[in-house]
Amino acid sequence: MAARKLSSVLSRSLSLSPALRSSSFLRSLASGSSVSGNSCTSRYSTSAAVEELITPPIEVTYTKNLINGHFVDAASGKTFPTYDPRSGEVLAHVAEGDAEDIDRAVAAARKAFDEGPWPKMTAYERSRVLLRFADLVEKHNDEISALESWNNGKPFEQAAKAEVPMLARLFRYYAGWADKIHGLTVPADGNYHVQTLHEPIGVAGQIIPWNFPLLMFAWKVGPALACGNTIVLKTAEQTPLTALYVGRLLLEAGLPPGVLNIVSGFGPTAGAALASHMDVDKLAFTGSTNTGKIVLELAARSNLKPVTLELGGKSPFIVCEDADIDHAVELAHFALFFNQGQCCCAGSRTFVHESVYDEFTEKAKARALNRIVGDPFKKGVEQGPQIDSEQFKKILKYIKSGVESNATLECGGERFGSKGYFIQPTVFSNVQDDMLIAQEEIFGPVQTILKFKEIDEVIRRANASKYGLAAGVFTKNIDTANTLTRALRAGTVWVNCFDVFDAAIPFGGYKMSGIGREKGIYSLSNYLQVKAVVTALKKPAWL
């Protein structure tokens, strides 16, 4: 499958592959045919679309921890509920891993690395396992997508057309890297032969977030496995189900027992135990900046394991005076509202030039009012619920802060419907830099529109943030684009596009948005040790 940018994949005009079009399962979900009562998709102005919910025709099968190739109960016997964010009702009870389960998982990963076949297997054989897994992901696209949407609340069409296919694409990408990881022959002064070896780092601990469970699984597990490492992965407690499901598919693809271990549990118990474990060789974390600080501290206090962090953001989206306003409005809308606004790189500070500010604001308001909110299993729905009650309340608190700080509430600002965690698409204008809604990561469907006059001014204001994950630039002028892309202190700058996540494009942040890069060739270095081997030569024929 050719790499596709996410923004194109999510276009309403994109058709499903022939295999997916033929699936009665997919058709029934997308049409809403299994719901009783009024199944028509509604827009922002009515809450009918969240009162009658479709029940996906799938069963939640994998709810236990995956340790050493087996699905097992937590050592304590405890479980915790995971919820359907559309209703707040319990979806399943999942094994609650804690420090003892992490110990067992790390022991299995250590044995699999020190004694098992995975790091000793030829790189070509490792590549074949990852390719078989990608095939299985495509075969089970329907079930994986439904489970992702059910546990997370993201639109089913988004999961089925973009995210699950991208999961397969990312694993094919890293399968291609498996047999292309090699060192160098290095010239040195004197009679010495010098070479570098790139070796797997060992047991990798990985902690993934709830907003993109499958994609974050791929970003971390793919390169770690390609390099020959073993893994202990902790899922987000809100969304444990799909990682367990695809973990089973990796075993089916031929991954040896103990190479990938998955523990579901909470941050202060399972997460802290993994971050501070003395037998974990490397740690990767995606989540909030505050939690990232804790993870880094625990890693340092234990065995000083190297850490990569992909953290928060407050990304500027800059609309210049020469912009095609209709196009800019749509792109800025996508940059913020995609995935219910629950995206670390969301274009959450929309800077608009003063000459087009009023027109942009009116059209941004109209687009938000026209956004289709409802049951994510209904065809055409653009926005589902927020992940849980905690995030729901946090977003409403930020909206209240915006109103109290005298930003202009153009639309939205309230819950949507009477159950679940739906929030109206919300737009604020006349936002000032010192307002909380312009400084802190809201992680919800709240667009803040700020006015600027000069390029130097907007550069200074855009960079005046503790974050530096991403930025967007919308202009027809190549000189303006070049100036902004070099001046903005962010790990990714999208020009006349946004949220393009090709497997080969590195992703990561400046400043307090993180350490290191994921995806692409750069992610491989996270999971490799470089060893210099120096051999003395006697009577060499040449140097």
Side-chain angles (χ1 to χ4, degrees), residues 118 126-141 144 164 166-172 175 214 217-218 221-222 225 242-255 260 262:
W118 188 249
R126 289 201 301 270
S127 173
R128 293 183 66 190
V129 171
L130 300 185
L131 290 171
R132 286 196 294 269
F133 171 68
D135 291 341
L136 287 170
V137 167
E138 290 186 339
K139 178 181 177 181
H140 295 279
N141 183 94
I144 300 169
V164 176
M166 192 176 291
L167 170 68
R169 173 67 180 95
L170 283 157
F171 269 86
R172 286 202 172 94
L214 285 172
F217 178 96
V221 173
L225 291 182
T242 47
L244 294 169
Y245 187 101
V246 298
R248 192 269 300 177
L249 294 183
L250 267 165
L251 293 176
E252 184 179 337
L255 192 72
L260 173 64
I262 302 174

Side-chain angles (χ1 to χ4, degrees), residues 317-345:
F317 184 98
I318 301 172
V319 179
C320 298
E321 59 184 321
D322 62 349
D324 177 329
I325 297 302
D326 290 336
H327 189 192
V329 165
E330 187 63 33
L331 191 59
H333 181 88
F334 172 77
L336 185 284
F337 289 100
F338 169 60
N339 205 53
Q340 294 68 252
Q342 298 171 154
C343 187
C344 55
C345 59

Side-chain angles (χ1 to χ4, degrees), residues 248-312:
R248 192 269 300 177
L249 294 183
L250 267 165
L251 293 176
E252 184 179 337
L255 192 72
V259 175
L260 173 64
N261 305 274
I262 302 174
V263 177
S264 300
F266 295 89
T269 51
L274 184 60
S276 58
H277 205 288
M278 294 296 292
D279 210 20
V280 170
D281 300 305
K282 185 267 179 304
L283 194 65
F285 170 81
T286 295
S288 72
T289 294
N290 287 337
T291 305
K293 291 179 180 180
I294 297 171
V295 167
L296 189 61
E297 182 179 2
L298 291 172
R301 285 184 174 182
S302 55
N303 59 346
L304 208 62
K305 61 180 72 65
V307 180
T308 49
L309 301 171
E310 196 265 281
L311 306 175

Side-chain angles (χ1 to χ4, degrees), residues 156-277:
F156 174 75
E157 290 180 312
Q158 174 183 319
K161 297 179 182 180
E163 294 185 19
V164 176
M166 192 176 291
L167 170 68
R169 173 67 180 95
L170 283 157
F171 269 86
R172 286 202 172 94
Y173 176 84
Y174 287 113
W177 267 114
D179 60 357
K180 299 169 187 66
I181 298 169
H182 52 76
L184 301 170
T185 301
V186 182
D189 295 340
N191 292 342
Y192 302 101
H193 173 77
V194 183
Q195 66 185 94
T196 59
L197 303 178
H198 290 186
E199 300 178 342
I201 200 166
V203 176
Q206 302 178 330
I207 302 173
I208 60 175
W210 48 258
N211 57 334
F212 294 98
L214 285 172
L215 291 182
M216 297 303 100
F217 178 96
W219 287 18
K220 288 177 171 51
V221 173
L225 291 182
C227 293
N229 298 281
T230 59
I231 299 168
V232 177
L233 179 137
K234 191 198 90 68
T235 61
E237 58 265 29
Q238 297 90 342
T239 54
L241 300 180
T242 47
L244 294 169
Y245 187 101
V246 298
R248 192 269 300 177
L249 294 183
L250 267 165
L251 293 176
E252 184 179 337
L255 192 72
V259 175
L260 173 64
N261 305 274
I262 302 174
V263 177
S264 300
F266 295 89
T269 51
L274 184 60
S276 58
H277 205 288

